[in-house]
Amino acid sequence: MTVSDDERLARATLSAIAEPGNALLGALVARLGALGAVAAVRAGAPPGDLVTGDRARYRLAEQLASWRIRLRAAAPDADLTVCDKLGGRLVCPGDAEWPTQLDNLGDARPHALWLRGPGDLRFGCLRSVALVGARAASSYGLRVAADLAAELSDRGWTVVSGGVPMWHGRDDRPDYR
């Protein structure tokens, strides 16, 4: 199965507006699909029965406001273009190389995975390591993480990062598998 261009663009948008593993947005995607979820965020109108309880409705309204702010600044077409120019791709649920183990996360499943390098993700996951940290990392922390990722990649490991695409500002580094 191959994901349509519209679906891929919607999932690029979702990855730009919410943190990875956001179960509220995941529930919206499960209910409406990626295209419908983006439309609901844009309109500010998720299904009324998506959550129950006053606290959950408040949290959804808060999240929706945050997603709508981020949506205004999102440039998924540009993100996909830059990714492609740097030898990357966006892998979505339904793509042949999507690691189906991620589906076990339910609504917290990633909307898509940004990859750089030629390796097949499903096979690459068999020998992988995750590098995680803070979005507000120091320049030293960023340098150490990039050097570690490059060394691991050179040794045949698939390097998995968090929510920020690793090519942002790092086109001087070797490809991450």
Side-chain angles (χ1 to χ4, degrees), residues 12 15 21 35 41 55 66 83 110 132 150 161 170:
S15 74
L35 293 163
V41 169
R55 190 170 190 190
S66 173
C83 180
V132 297
S161 176
R170 300 299 307 177

Side-chain angles (χ1 to χ4, degrees), residues 12-157:
T13 302
L14 294 170
S15 74
I17 67 171
E19 300 297 321
N22 186 303
L24 275 175
L25 189 56
L28 191 60
V29 171
R31 172 79 66 84
L32 303 175
L35 293 163
V38 171
V41 169
R42 185 170 284 119
D49 63 344
L50 186 65
V51 297
T52 58
D54 291 340
R55 190 170 190 190
R57 278 191 284 281
Y58 175 79
R59 179 74 176 133
L60 177 60
E62 186 176 70
Q63 286 285 288
L64 186 61
S66 173
W67 299 333
R68 293 187 78 202
I69 290 168
R70 290 179 180 183
L71 184 61
R72 287 190 289 255
D77 284 314
D79 291 341
L80 288 166
T81 298
V82 169
C83 180
D84 184 57
K85 286 182 180 180
L86 294 173
R89 63 201 177 279
L90 185 66
V91 176
C92 301
D95 284 335
E97 66 178 311
W98 177 259
T100 55
Q101 307 92 306
L102 293 175
D103 298 339
N104 293 333
L105 297 173
D107 290 341
R109 167 181 87 169
H111 307 296
L113 299 171
W114 296 93
L115 274 74
R116 186 172 178 192
D120 182 281
L121 179 60
R122 285 183 70 126
F123 296 115
C125 287
L126 298 175
R127 183 175 159 101
S128 61
V129 61
L131 291 181
V132 297
R135 288 186 185 266
S138 68
S139 60
Y140 172 75
L142 292 172
R143 187 175 72 242
V144 168
D147 290 345
L148 181 59
E151 291 291 325
L152 287 163
S153 179
D154 288 346
R155 287 172 173 70
W157 285 85

Side-chain angles (χ1 to χ4, degrees), residues 154-170:
D154 288 346
R155 287 172 173 70
W157 285 85
T158 296
V159 178
V160 180
S161 176
V164 178
M166 297 217 30
W167 61 82
H168 281 202
R170 300 299 307 177

